[in-house]
Amino acid sequence: MSGIDGCLVKYSSAPRATPKNDTKDTSAIIVLDHGDPTMYESYWSKIGNKCDITFNGDNSLSYFANGKSLCWFLESKLEEQIKRLHNVVGSAIVDDHYIVVGTVSSQLMQAALYALSPTYQLEPISVVSATPFYSAYPEVMDFVRSGLHKWAGDARTFKKNGSYIEFITSPNNPDGVIREPVVNGDQGKLIYDLAYYWPQYIVITSPANHDVMLFTISKCTGHAGSRIGWALVKDKEVARKMTKFMEISTIGVSKEAQLRAAKILEVICNSCLDPKMENFFEYSQSLMINRWNRLRQVVMANDLFVLQKYPLQYCLFRKDFYESHPAFAWLIYKGGEEEDCEKLLKEHKIHTRSGSRFGSDSRNVRISMLSRDEDFNIFLKRLMAIQRPTNGN
Amino acid sequence: MSGIDGCLVKYSSAPRATPKNDTKDTSAIIVLDHGDPTMYESYWSKIGNKCDITFNGDNSLSYFANGKSLCWFLESKLEEQIKRLHNVVGSAIVDDHYIVVGTVSSQLMQAALYALSPTYQLEPISVVSATPFYSAYPEVMDFVRSGLHKWAGDARTFKKNGSYIEFITSPNNPDGVIREPVVNGDQGKLIYDLAYYWPQYIVITSPANHDVMLFTISKCTGHAGSRIGWALVKDKEVARKMTKFMEISTIGVSKEAQLRAAKILEVICNSCLDPKMENFFEYSQSLMINRWNRLRQVVMANDLFVLQKYPLQYCLFRKDFYESHPAFAWLIYKGGEEEDCEKLLKEHKIHTRSGSRFGSDSRNVRISMLSRDEDFNIFLKRLMAIQRPTNGN
């Protein structure tokens, strides 16, 4: 799932995009609480005009798309490039799936819940996910007090007598771990949130092939401002109901955003196939490897925190052995369970998100690894400067 | 409110956009059931490259907008042009209102309900609108069985002991009539849906000035594919809660769609102020007048139907006397109440929407007046050919 995710910014203190060419105020707080993927600007600046797209005044006036998809507002160019991307990367099986486009995975998540919730049931169906779970889940499930579904918390403690829906976020947000279903009940329906299943973050060991899979361009290419996500859905009736959700809630998805997303995915696919272009995923992975190596060095040096470890595996896309370099670092403070790691880092002008927001404990924080270079460098410098608090004992 | 509105197209029979340059199959059914505003393509084709907008690969990656608005994802260019448009046209008071951008008015409508529904109430608040009401209202209110609000039908028969929310669609969809609140209870909250309050449809007698007003670019400029709407909201706390709804449901609104909408509104404002440009609203109004005159002639000639009449009023924008030329014709069949006007027209290959969908009766139908010229001409020809059915008595 994407990045603002449940931080639900208060307008008065809403972080603003740092203008790209402005000189950073080095005394300001570094906001790594949400996963704003501005790291990717460097690639897209280098790509020049290859990714330009122009809209004329008379383009895309109609509600309807030009394709023949079950999802009647899905632009055929976007459908084509989504399929091409999954095939080029090997990240998912698309051929026997319907594609439903949405205003990012937040909306698709609600659409999937709408489609999978039983229609004629007096009680809302329970929705679970294993801790640490994506911090926006509880609010997204319950914000309009739906009679269709209700958030039921940690999948590990869920009593499985009856029907339920389980979200499997893999790799997981916040901790980057590859996940499998946890409840394994007879009457469970599964939604796979695969926002981060791309080669810069994770080792592609096999193409994902599940009944309902959610993706977003935000974390794949960095274009969070476009608000484009898509679902790959095996069952025709589920895809139809998800499309209906989108119809009622927003009557489709912006054509400009869809057509620009198609262009961006086209350029990314080309970059993987054309040796004269800089491969987007190789470039992004090298940035992630560099950042993770530097973060691990700092964490090792000041000896206050622990970072999640990831296994070395063979990547079918890169044809080599790699480990994960997730979009978020899940930092665990070595102090006792009572320690408030978010508070500690905030005192050092690093704004992160507490583990308590993810159904975990406050010793942990989630830290975005996708900021601009300048912010990331200041973050490391400040983290390095933190010393174990002396408690007077 | 915008156009697909509750038709909730079945994918198998979903109407497709007729490619602009294709020759129309004159035997095909003419779909005037939803208000797809393709009529406006002619203006935007003539405008040439004045409205072009290009996105580079590195534009708008961040979730955050560059403005300082309470609505943290609202692009400042769009905010500026929305204010300018309302001031140029005189359609609404903007200066003491907050602007919240949404994925059209469908989403803003849900956001307004979320913001105005009492938080700590056991029973959902009743939501009403006077018949004939916009056909999507019942489904939009109830599709996720919210515990916050529930559709309670016709405002005229609503018993006003207690709190409620009333939608006032003005001019009304489907019948184009100017509306006022109907319930007038002590504990009512009002949402004004002003999607059609623009000079091509209605006489601008005064700038609208209500607590919550919803607008959409779809019916103002014809760019339904962009999915951009906005709310003007007087109360800061209501605007903040509406922004929060948008945050949870879609984490903002597509930047591409917002920036293109800003460009479109800028060109429209320029066209009103620059005598060398063709004034968008004058051009559109002249199309509407022409279509309505021809429709009234056909209706008078075959003597089977009645059309709604509208008063002659002084328009502050056009500085002359006009009557309304709504985006939909509300056609009333002269037969008995049992008559199914939608069915009758369908036999003549004209697809309209039955009055029964608007809480009214099936003698009435709603017909889009915003199709392309070719479709409108075929519609008139077919309508002209309808004769009173002989029932053998």
Side-chain angles (χ1 to χ4, degrees):
Chain A
M1 263 302 301
S2 19
I4 304 299
D5 49 39
C7 82
L8 300 177
V9 199
K10 280 195 180 157
Y11 65 90
S12 56
S13 61
R16 303 293 168 180
T18 313
K20 272 178 273 177
N21 303 319
D22 271 21
T23 309
K24 185 83 192 173
D25 172 6
T26 50
S27 68
I29 195 156
I30 296 295
V31 180
L32 302 175
D33 147 72
H34 47 78
D36 205 24
T38 45
M39 178 190 84
Y40 293 100
E41 281 168 358
S42 59
Y43 182 84
W44 296 108
S45 298
K46 289 209 292 181
I47 211 77
N49 62 4
K50 280 194 187 70
C51 206
D52 288 5
I53 183 165
T54 299
F55 294 95
N56 310 127
D58 64 342
N59 292 157
S60 301
L61 271 80
S62 176
Y63 290 94
F64 298 98
N66 55 355
K68 298 212 176 296
S69 166
L70 177 150
C71 179
W72 58 266
F73 44 82
L74 169 59
E75 286 287 324
S76 57
K77 278 187 189 165
L78 180 59
E79 184 174 21
E80 180 192 330
Q81 294 301 329
I82 287 170
K83 288 181 179 173
R84 186 174 170 230
L85 179 70
H86 283 300
N87 284 325
V88 166
V89 175
S91 51
I93 300 290
V94 287
D95 287 344
D96 58 349
H97 286 78
Y98 296 92
I99 297 178
V100 180
V101 66
T103 309
V104 287
S105 31
S106 314
Q107 197 189 22
L108 289 164
M109 189 200 296
Q110 295 160 67
L113 287 174
Y114 174 79
L116 296 176
S117 297
T119 315
Y120 306 106
Q121 192 160 305
L122 284 175
E123 286 296 306
I125 191 168
S126 295
V127 186
V128 296
S129 191
T131 53
F133 47 72
Y134 171 49
S135 53
Y137 283 155
E139 194 149 28
V140 169
M141 311 299 162
D142 289 347
F143 75 127
V144 292
R145 291 204 224 141
S146 173
L148 297 176
H149 47 74
K150 67 157 194 270
W151 174 244
D154 187 2
R156 290 201 184 83
T157 57
F158 179 68
K159 295 200 179 18
K160 55 181 169 182
N161 48 358
S163 58
Y164 66 94
I165 295 172
E166 182 176 350
F167 270 88
I168 299 123
T169 314
S170 185
N172 191 38
N173 174 1
D175 64 4
V177 169
I178 289 291
R179 286 197 155 182
E180 299 286 342
V182 166
V183 183
N184 295 314
D186 297 333
Q187 297 172 59
K189 289 174 179 170
L190 309 179
I191 300 171
Y192 280 80
D193 187 340
L194 304 181
Y196 300 95
Y197 197 64
W198 298 106
Q200 66 267 52
Y201 306 124
I202 196 80
V203 179
I204 305 288
T205 52
S206 65
N209 187 12
H210 308 288
D211 287 352
V212 181
M213 301 184 272
L214 309 184
F215 293 91
T216 163
I217 200 170
S218 307
K219 297 303 159 59
C220 173
T221 74
H223 292 84
S226 304
R227 317 308 306 122
I228 288 290
W230 63 93
L232 302 180
V233 183
K234 248 184 203 160
D235 183 75
K236 191 172 187 172
E237 189 53 24
V238 172
R240 202 191 60 73
K241 282 191 79 175
M242 288 181 71
T243 302
K244 183 169 175 178
F245 178 94
M246 230 66 74
E247 233 175 76
I248 306 175
S249 70
T250 52
I251 320 181
V253 174
S254 158
K255 297 287 163 58
E256 293 88 355
Q258 286 193 60
L259 292 169
R260 182 163 181 239
K263 185 74 196 170
I264 291 162
L265 298 188
E266 181 191 341
V267 170
I268 285 189
C269 290
N270 292 348
S271 86
C272 296
L273 301 170
D274 178 356
K276 283 176 284 182
M277 283 179 74
E278 179 152 28
N279 184 313
F280 170 78
F281 292 113
E282 286 180 19
Y283 176 89
S284 313
Q285 194 193 34
S286 72
L287 288 184
M288 294 304 290
I289 290 174
N290 176 283
R291 288 188 174 193
W292 271 94
N293 287 346
R294 288 164 62 208
L295 176 62
R296 287 197 188 277
Q297 280 166 18
V298 168
V299 166
M300 202 179 294
N302 73 359
D303 196 31
L304 285 172
F305 306 99
V306 178
L307 280 168
Q308 181 76 40
K309 290 245 181 202
Y310 305 99
L312 199 68
Q313 289 174 295
Y314 187 76
C315 179
L316 293 176
F317 174 71
R318 297 291 310 273
K319 310 265 186 276
D320 206 344
F321 284 86
Y322 288 96
E323 62 182 52
S324 292
H325 300 92
F328 296 105
W330 185 238
L331 195 73
I332 305 160
Y333 185 57
K334 283 184 179 177
E337 283 198 18
E338 299 302 307
E339 300 290 348
D340 186 337
C341 189
E342 181 188 292
K343 188 166 161 257
L344 171 67
L345 293 177
K346 205 157 193 175
E347 285 163 6
H348 293 264
K349 292 186 182 166
I350 305 166
H351 186 190
T352 63
R353 188 171 302 177
S354 171
S356 62
R357 297 277 302 280
F358 304 89
S360 180
D361 67 62
S362 57
R363 271 188 315 169
N364 310 332
V365 289
R366 190 192 76 169
I367 302 172
S368 169
M369 296 291 284
L370 304 182
S371 64
R372 296 197 181 97
D373 272 343
E374 203 174 353
D375 282 357
F376 188 77
N377 295 340
I378 296 172
F379 155 60
L380 283 191
K381 210 167 148 187
R382 290 184 186 168
L383 190 69
M384 188 67 204
I386 301 178
Q387 298 194 344
R388 190 176 296 274
T390 49
N391 57 13
N393 290 336
Chain B
M1 264 299 300
S2 19
I4 303 298
D5 50 41
C7 83
L8 300 175
V9 199
K10 278 193 181 161
Y11 63 91
S12 55
S13 60
R16 301 293 170 183
T18 312
K20 272 178 271 178
N21 303 320
D22 270 21
T23 309
K24 184 83 193 172
D25 173 5
T26 51
S27 69
I29 197 158
I30 295 296
V31 181
L32 302 175
D33 147 74
H34 46 79
D36 205 24
T38 45
M39 178 188 85
Y40 293 100
E41 281 168 359
S42 59
Y43 182 85
W44 295 108
S45 297
K46 288 208 294 181
I47 212 80
N49 61 5
K50 283 193 185 68
C51 206
D52 287 6
I53 183 164
T54 298
F55 294 95
N56 311 127
D58 64 342
N59 292 155
S60 301
L61 271 80
S62 175
Y63 290 94
F64 297 98
N66 55 355
K68 299 213 177 290
S69 166
L70 176 149
C71 178
W72 58 267
F73 44 83
L74 170 59
E75 285 287 324
S76 56
K77 277 186 190 167
L78 180 59
E79 183 174 22
E80 180 191 330
Q81 294 302 329
I82 287 170
K83 288 182 178 171
R84 186 174 170 228
L85 180 70
H86 283 301
N87 285 326
V88 166
V89 174
S91 52
I93 300 291
V94 287
D95 288 343
D96 57 349
H97 286 78
Y98 296 93
I99 297 178
V100 180
V101 66
T103 310
V104 286
S105 29
S106 314
Q107 197 189 22
L108 289 164
M109 191 199 298
Q110 296 159 67
L113 287 174
Y114 173 79
L116 296 177
S117 297
T119 315
Y120 306 105
Q121 191 160 307
L122 284 174
E123 286 296 305
I125 191 168
S126 296
V127 187
V128 296
S129 190
T131 54
F133 47 72
Y134 171 50
S135 54
Y137 283 155
E139 196 149 27
V140 169
M141 312 299 160
D142 288 348
F143 75 128
V144 291
R145 290 203 224 143
S146 171
L148 297 176
H149 48 72
K150 67 157 193 271
W151 174 243
D154 188 3
R156 291 202 183 83
T157 57
F158 179 69
K159 297 203 178 16
K160 55 182 170 184
N161 47 357
S163 58
Y164 65 93
I165 295 171
E166 182 177 348
F167 270 91
I168 300 123
T169 315
S170 186
N172 191 38
N173 173 0
D175 63 5
V177 170
I178 289 290
R179 286 198 155 180
E180 299 287 341
V182 166
V183 182
N184 294 315
D186 297 333
Q187 297 173 58
K189 289 175 179 171
L190 308 179
I191 301 171
Y192 280 79
D193 186 342
L194 303 180
Y196 301 95
Y197 198 64
W198 298 107
Q200 66 268 53
Y201 306 124
I202 195 81
V203 179
I204 304 289
T205 52
S206 64
N209 187 11
H210 308 289
D211 286 353
V212 181
M213 301 184 273
L214 310 183
F215 293 90
T216 161
I217 200 170
S218 307
K219 297 303 161 59
C220 173
T221 75
H223 293 83
S226 304
R227 319 304 308 122
I228 287 291
W230 63 93
L232 302 181
V233 183
K234 249 183 202 160
D235 183 75
K236 191 171 187 173
E237 188 53 25
V238 173
R240 201 192 62 73
K241 282 192 79 176
M242 288 181 71
T243 302
K244 181 167 177 180
F245 178 94
M246 230 68 73
E247 231 177 77
I248 305 174
S249 71
T250 53
I251 321 181
V253 174
S254 157
K255 297 288 164 57
E256 293 88 353
Q258 285 194 60
L259 292 169
R260 183 162 181 242
K263 185 73 195 169
I264 291 162
L265 297 188
E266 180 192 340
V267 170
I268 285 190
C269 290
N270 291 348
S271 87
C272 296
L273 300 171
D274 179 355
K276 284 175 283 182
M277 283 180 75
E278 180 153 26
N279 184 312
F280 171 77
F281 292 113
E282 287 181 18
Y283 175 89
S284 313
Q285 192 192 34
S286 71
L287 288 184
M288 294 305 289
I289 291 175
N290 176 284
R291 288 188 174 193
W292 270 95
N293 286 346
R294 289 163 62 207
L295 175 63
R296 287 198 188 276
Q297 281 166 16
V298 168
V299 165
M300 203 179 292
N302 73 0
D303 197 31
L304 286 171
F305 306 99
V306 179
L307 280 168
Q308 180 77 42
K309 290 246 181 201
Y310 304 98
L312 199 68
Q313 288 173 296
Y314 187 77
C315 180
L316 294 176
F317 174 69
R318 297 292 311 275
K319 310 266 187 275
D320 205 345
F321 283 88
Y322 288 95
E323 62 182 53
S324 292
H325 299 92
F328 296 106
W330 183 239
L331 195 72
I332 305 161
Y333 185 57
K334 283 184 179 176
E337 284 199 15
E338 299 303 307
E339 300 290 348
D340 186 335
C341 189
E342 181 187 293
K343 189 166 160 256
L344 172 68
L345 294 177
K346 205 157 194 175
E347 285 162 8
H348 293 265
K349 293 183 180 168
I350 306 165
H351 186 190
T352 62
R353 188 171 301 177
S354 172
S356 61
R357 298 276 302 281
F358 303 90
S360 180
D361 68 61
S362 57
R363 271 188 315 168
N364 309 333
V365 289
R366 190 193 75 169
I367 302 172
S368 168
M369 295 292 285
L370 304 182
S371 64
R372 295 198 182 96
D373 273 343
E374 205 175 350
D375 283 357
F376 188 76
N377 296 339
I378 297 172
F379 154 59
L380 283 191
K381 210 168 146 186
R382 289 183 186 168
L383 190 68
M384 188 68 204
I386 302 179
Q387 298 195 341
R388 189 175 296 276
T390 48
N391 57 12
N393 292 332

